[in-house]
Amino acid sequence: MAEGTRTVLVATDFSGGALAAVREAAAFARAWSATLAVLHVNDDLSDDPGFSVSWLRPFGMALDALELGRIAHEVAHEKLETLVAAEDLADVDVTLHVTAGSAVQEIARLARELEADVVVAGRSGAGALERLMLGGTSERLIARLPCPLVLVGETPLPAKGVLLPVDFGPCAPKQLAFLRELPRVEEADTHVLSVYALPSYFWDAIEGHLSEEQVDRTVGEAMRQRLDDLVVEREESEHHVFREVRQGIPAREILSFARARKVDTIILGSAGHGGVTTTLPGSTVLRVSRDFRGRVVITPPEESTAGGW
């Protein structure tokens, strides 16, 4: 996390999850003594080939795209004020932002401009932002963000149970950094999980030489040692840290583990070595984000330079 002033950026489309996203972002802002920036992105009518101001003439409305854009900006700003007023944010420094254009580009642009420490977005409702988060273009936003992305879950902060799936790729340091900053209850358990999958030709090569139990034991011990090397567990820590290694399909194992341990937060990496996380369509990140109803945090690789992470 960056030194000095911190910024939490929350993007909203005024759908059902908008208030929950603002509430979640405010919780981060309070925990970090950060500024809360609330953003809404309007469609850019001047760039929309499917829109024509001539449609309004039968209704006696002589407006051009520029004037409609101005009206849309004012309406969105009023909606942001109403949304923020629904929460008691007197103790939080709040700034409101309305832009027009591509949601992906505008969220990423403002995150870089504000040097945001985290971007928060809701997942319930039927708005464009939800389709962005869980649809085919969400990997574009993840790839462009300079900071972690938080998809709001069903339970509010502080977190009561956290799952950290790692594949020892470039995102692992960022995942651990966010874990240390995540508001958690004192008795919260943290589970660090590594999932590995061995290709079929490996099993063909060892047939008759090693049993599956021997392979699982050998690989499991090596992976657990890597987890021990990766995670620094201090004796004075108030959080319980558990390590586990599983073999199988990453998304399936992560979701199964999360349900079994009843965690409410999963911290994923946006890029990996092909084991746990990747930003390809249909990847582990997208499947977990879609199917896990708790909080999902997606962190960028360590070499990301903008923002506080």
Side-chain angles (χ1 to χ4, degrees):
M1 187 73 74
E3 296 294 331
T5 303
R6 299 176 177 180
T7 300
V8 177
L9 173 61
V10 56
T12 177
D13 61 358
F14 307 117
S15 60
L19 190 57
V22 171
R23 190 174 295 131
E24 176 100 345
F28 276 107
R30 289 189 177 99
W32 297 346
S33 299
T35 295
L36 174 60
V38 187
L39 167 68
H40 174 73
V41 182
N42 280 326
D43 292 329
D44 189 348
L45 298 179
S46 63
D47 289 337
D48 186 354
F51 175 80
S52 174
V53 293
S54 63
W55 296 346
L56 301 176
R57 289 172 186 156
F59 302 97
M61 300 176 66
L63 299 174
D64 58 18
L66 184 62
E67 179 66 10
L68 284 174
R70 184 190 64 78
I71 294 173
H73 185 281
E74 292 179 355
V75 170
H77 199 277
E78 290 176 359
K79 285 186 175 181
L80 286 181
E81 291 178 336
T82 301
L83 185 65
V84 170
E87 291 294 304
D88 183 10
L89 300 178
D91 59 331
V92 180
D93 180 22
V94 180
T95 61
L96 304 181
H97 305 264
V98 178
T99 65
S102 160
V104 169
Q105 294 177 1
E106 289 302 302
I107 294 171
R109 180 192 63 77
L110 190 60
R112 292 183 181 278
E113 180 180 308
L114 299 178
E115 297 185 344
D117 293 279
V118 69
V119 172
V120 180
R123 293 193 295 174
S124 60
L129 188 59
E130 183 196 17
R131 294 193 296 273
L132 169 69
M133 293 299 106
L134 302 182
T137 59
S138 58
E139 67 271 15
R140 291 170 49 211
L141 176 61
I142 294 168
R144 294 186 184 196
L145 281 181
C147 60
L149 170 66
V150 175
L151 301 180
V152 178
E154 295 177 339
T155 58
L157 287 171
K160 299 174 179 62
V162 184
L163 172 58
L164 194 80
V166 297
D167 69 349
F168 312 104
C171 288
K174 295 283 188 173
Q175 290 172 268
L176 290 168
F178 194 91
L179 173 65
R180 289 191 290 269
E181 296 285 347
L182 178 69
R184 290 175 282 171
V185 298
E186 185 173 342
E187 65 274 15
D189 288 339
T190 298
H191 302 272
V192 184
L193 172 68
S194 181
V195 181
Y196 71 94
L198 298 175
S200 58
Y201 59 78
F202 173 85
W203 297 108
D204 293 338
I206 67 168
E207 186 175 3
H209 300 281
L210 293 172
S211 67
E212 184 174 345
E213 291 76 13
Q214 288 175 307
V215 172
D216 286 342
R217 184 170 59 253
T218 301
V219 175
E221 289 176 356
M223 298 291 279
R224 275 185 285 273
Q225 182 59 55
R226 293 191 69 183
L227 287 179
D228 289 340
D229 294 340
L230 177 67
V231 180
V232 178
E233 183 179 1
R234 300 179 180 178
E235 292 183 1
E236 69 272 20
S237 174
E238 68 274 24
H239 302 293
H240 307 96
V241 180
F242 303 92
R243 301 162 177 81
E244 183 158 339
V245 176
R246 287 190 175 189
Q247 179 187 173
I249 299 173
R252 182 184 301 170
E253 294 300 322
I254 291 170
L255 291 168
S256 172
F257 189 95
R259 286 191 293 267
R261 298 301 188 276
K262 298 181 179 180
V263 303
D264 59 16
T265 303
I266 298 178
I267 304 177
L268 295 167
S270 65
H273 291 161
V276 171
T277 53
T278 170
T279 54
L280 294 175
S283 70
T284 298
V285 167
L286 299 183
R287 289 199 296 271
V288 172
S289 299
R290 179 193 63 206
D291 296 340
F292 181 65
R293 300 317 301 168
R295 178 180 302 100
V296 176
V297 182
I298 306 168
T299 65
E302 187 175 21
E303 59 268 21
S304 181
T305 56
W309 292 84

